[in-house]
């Protein structure tokens, strides 16, 4: 991770999963990824399950690098940096599910609940990829979950919960318990996670280094070094990136003026918002809005407009949809 962290920026994506049904799905046939250089990794607060329907590529999870090929399921545990690239000449077609297993399955026995917690904490390496050829039953259950979430017929909430119970029990049965995530990730990232969570919730306010370092129980100088070492950005540069990422969501999905959006994400003046936006994207916010709305599939816009604002806080810009 040290080597990767020095080469690629790492970003936090927060998903506010609904309390009564803690799962979000990027469903349908519009979620495609193409060959591009690996430029950044990300991590989030829940389990990510990717169902690869077609294509081949390379998965990066923490320190581990592994090839994957459809059909398969890709698992990214919480708080572990990850990303994928697509092999040249390939197009990967995905469905993505973000879920909190503990909240989804509150009635598990204490023993199984503890095992599931251990699985989320420690799964890594080869076990982050579940081959459909070797474990067709796992992909069959995942496919049923996706189909139920797409159709949303009567009782689908109950059916999806039961299917998730089956899915995670199958994963636990196949889990060796020997694949551990990098100690570097577990300790260094864990140390700054309070600051990352605070930024995700308070990016629109004035964020001080003193406050962030206090939350992490380290000195400001040590916090600066550690944050830069882990994420590749200084803390304040990271705040700017989070603000601009949020601004991109609003620019793409809402009709607020550029000035209004700048104020919402924490910039007191249009000039400061434009300056930071140009520094990161190379064009003005209004130019970015026009460009992205003309290039992206309206299906993607409609999908994110259908979600509560907190659920599309981080728009997955690395996936592009083909117009049907």
């Amino acid at each position: 991770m040290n080597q990767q962290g020095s080469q690629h920026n790492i970003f936090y994506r927060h998903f506010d999963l609904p309390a009564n049904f803690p799962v979000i799905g990027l469903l349908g046939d519009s979620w495609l990824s193409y060959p591009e250089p690996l430029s950044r990794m990300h991590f989030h607060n829940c389990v990510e399950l990717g169902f690869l329907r077609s294509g081949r590529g390379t998965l990066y999870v923490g320190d581990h690098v592994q090839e994957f090929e459809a059909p398969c399921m890709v698992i990214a545990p919480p708080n572990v940096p990850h990303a994928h690239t697509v092999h040249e000449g390939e197009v990967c077609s995905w469905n993505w599910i973000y879920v909190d297993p503990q909240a989804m399955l509150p009635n598990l026995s204490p023993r199984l609940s503890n095992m599931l917690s251990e699985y989320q904490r420690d799964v890594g390496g080869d076990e982050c990829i579940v081959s459909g050829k070797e474990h067709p039953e796992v992909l069959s259950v995942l496919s049923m979950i996706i189909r139920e979430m797409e159709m949303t017929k009567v009782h689908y909430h109950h059916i999806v919960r039961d299917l998730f119970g089956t899915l995670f029990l199958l994963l636990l049965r196949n889990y060796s318990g020997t694949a551990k995530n990098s100690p570097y990730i577990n300790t260094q990232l864990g140390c700054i996670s309070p600051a990352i969570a605070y930024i995700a919730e308070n990016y629109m306010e004035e964020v001080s280094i003193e406050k962030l370092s206090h939350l992490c129980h380290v000195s400001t100088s040590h916090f600066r070094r550690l944050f830069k070492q882990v994420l590749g950005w200084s803390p304040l540069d990271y705040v700017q990136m989070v603000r601009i990422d949020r601004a991109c969501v609003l620019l793409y999905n809402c009709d607020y003026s550029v000035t209004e959006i700048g104020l919402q994400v924490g910039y007191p003046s249009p000039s400061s918002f434009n300056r930071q936006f140009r520094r990161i994207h190379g064009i003005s916010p209004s130019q970015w809005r026009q460009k992205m709305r003309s290039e992206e599939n309206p299906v993607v816009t409609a999908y994110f407009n259908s979600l509560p604002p907190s659920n599309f806080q981080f728009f997955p810009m690395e996936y592009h949809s083909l117009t049907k």
Side-chain angles (χ1 to χ4, degrees), residues 274 277-289 291:
N274 274 272
F277 199 98
R278 282 185 177 275
R279 183 175 70 86
I280 292 171
H281 288 287
I283 55 178
S284 71
S286 57
Q287 290 171 326
W288 186 94
R289 168 184 268 171
K291 179 176 184 292

Side-chain angles (χ1 to χ4, degrees), residues 93-113:
S93 174
W94 297 92
N95 289 139
W96 298 98
I97 290 177
Y98 302 90
V99 61
D100 181 344
Q102 306 296 128
M104 180 61 77
L105 306 171
N107 297 321
L108 282 180
S109 69
R111 183 180 67 86
L112 287 176
S113 182

